[in-house]
Amino acid sequence: MKEKKNTKLVVILLIVAILIAFVPLFALKGAEFGGSDDAGSEVVAEVDSSYEPWAEPILEKIIGGELPGEVESLLFCLQTGIGVGIIAYCMGRLVERKKLGKEDQDL
C-alpha cells in the first residue's frame, strides 16, 4: 500500500515539475528571455552613450568573432558543473570528517 502511495506522489510531483517548466513559455507570449549581460549593456548605453568597453573576451580575440550561443551555454554549464563538483566534494569531506570525529569520541 505504501509503495502505491509513493508512486502516486512521484507522478504528481513530476507533473508539477513539467508544468513549472513549460507553463511560463506559453503564458508569456512575446516575452524575450535575455541575460543580465544584455540588460547591463542596455543600461550602460542609456547612462553614457559614449562608453567604450576597455576589454573584450579572450576567446573572441582568438577566434576572431563572437562565440555562438550554444558554445557559450556549454562553457557556462561546464563551469557550473565544475563548481558544483568542487563544492560537493568539500561538503562531503566535511561531513565525513565530522562522522569520523564522532566515532573517535564514542570509543
Side-chain angles (χ1 to χ4, degrees):
M1 187 73 165
K2 187 176 182 181
E3 189 174 311
K4 187 173 184 176
K5 196 175 190 181
N6 286 340
T7 305
K8 206 181 254 188
L9 178 65
V10 169
V11 169
I12 290 171
L13 289 175
L14 284 172
I15 291 171
V16 169
I18 291 169
L19 288 174
I20 288 173
F22 286 106
V23 166
L25 295 176
F26 299 111
L28 302 172
K29 299 264 185 208
E32 293 183 23
F33 298 100
S36 60
D37 292 343
D38 296 333
S41 300
E42 290 174 10
V43 171
V44 169
E46 287 176 14
V47 172
D48 183 10
S49 59
S50 64
Y51 175 77
E52 297 267 339
W54 53 272
E56 56 184 75
I58 295 171
L59 282 177
E60 287 183 9
K61 286 184 181 181
I62 293 172
I63 64 171
E66 194 170 320
L67 287 173
E70 295 83 10
V71 175
E72 284 183 2
S73 294
L74 172 70
L75 292 174
F76 181 76
C77 290
L78 183 64
Q79 175 185 353
T80 304
I82 291 170
V84 167
I86 291 170
I87 291 171
Y89 174 78
C90 292
M91 289 180 69
R93 292 282 296 192
L94 290 173
V95 168
E96 285 300 313
R97 185 184 309 169
K98 190 173 183 180
K99 283 182 184 178
L100 289 173
K102 282 185 178 181
E103 289 174 5
D104 289 342
Q105 287 177 359
D106 292 340
L107 294 178

